[in-house]
Amino acid sequence: AQTVTQSQPEMSVQEAETVTLSCTYDTSENNYYLFWYKQPPSRQMILVIRQEAYKQQNATENRFSVNFQKAAKSFSLKISDSQLGDTAMYFCAFRPTGGGSNYKLTFGKGTLLTVNP
Amino acid sequence: DTGVSQDPRHKITKRGQNVTFRCDPISEHNRLYWYRQTLGQGPEFLTYFQNEAQLEKSRLLSDRFSAERPKGSFSTLEIQRTEQGDSAMYLCASSAWDRDYGYTFGSGTRLTVV
């Protein structure tokens, strides 16, 4: 079974600053996907960024980038130039590749990020 | 088709009543998932459909819970004899077989059992 741990229940950052959210996971799988999802207050969860475990290059999406350390089973999210609209709950999630029950996502408990003006 | 739709957005029910939620996935997505999210927790997997076939159910899905996806289109999640512990956000998500690494989530149905 997989587990995902987000050790920071809450974080805050000043607008325009950079913040890093931490995530660690435990798995015996060798091939998998990792995701960061954003859930704004009372709004739907949206995918921020994803990383395939077989890729050594860290994924980037505009102001969002990850630091993927496979050996350490670490997957942190860096948000640059933070904006007020980045205020949300952020969830780290894991999914093995392949079929069968590997389609389900395992989520961490989330980190509530507040961007202050 | 603008995304995954869930209905209702909010539901308040008395303990012991039955409730049913509906999810309309993105039309070309053949996979549909139900998750439950309680306060302060991440979403937890409940069940998964590929087309009309329910391929997996979590042990969280007690006998009071049932889900269907007739004709592989929309899905319903029914909770019978609701209990206060059923109060949660119920999330639906869908994905396409050829791009199944990411889900599209709906806005969820928030259930409050009083």
Side-chain angles (χ1 to χ4, degrees), chain A residues 39-40 42-46, chain B residues 3-11 21-24 33-37 43 77 88-93 104-111:
Chain A
Q39 189 176 40
S42 301
R43 295 182 63 185
Q44 72 187 94
M45 193 171 306
I46 58 173
Chain B
V4 178
S5 299
Q6 290 190 247
D7 184 71
R9 290 293 303 274
H10 303 275
K11 177 72 176 179
F21 311 140
R22 176 178 171 126
C23 171
D24 287 89
Y33 315 83
W34 285 98
Y35 282 75
R36 182 172 70 185
Q37 185 179 18
L77 178 67
M89 175 75 84
Y90 290 84
L91 297 171
C92 177
T104 301
F105 280 88
S107 297
T109 293
R110 181 166 295 284
L111 173 66

Side-chain angles (χ1 to χ4, degrees), chain B residues 3-4 9 11-12 24 26 28-29 42 45 48 68 85 95-96 105 107:
Chain B
V4 178
R9 290 293 303 274
K11 177 72 176 179
I12 299 174
D24 287 89
I26 293 174
E28 61 265 29
H29 286 183
F45 172 80
Y48 151 61
E68 295 182 341
S95 68
F105 280 88
S107 297

Side-chain angles (χ1 to χ4, degrees), chain A residues 28-75:
Chain A
S28 58
E29 303 281 346
N30 190 49
N31 296 313
Y32 48 87
Y33 299 112
L34 292 162
F35 308 87
W36 279 98
Y37 281 88
K38 169 185 176 181
Q39 189 176 40
S42 301
R43 295 182 63 185
Q44 72 187 94
M45 193 171 306
I46 58 173
L47 179 64
V48 174
I49 197 166
R50 68 176 176 89
Q51 174 82 41
E52 292 94 334
Y54 69 87
K55 289 187 177 179
Q56 293 185 338
Q57 186 173 6
N58 289 324
T60 62
E61 288 286 345
N62 301 314
R63 298 182 294 108
F64 299 88
S65 62
V66 298
N67 183 5
F68 172 50
Q69 302 290 327
K70 189 173 183 180
K73 296 181 181 175
S74 171
F75 183 61

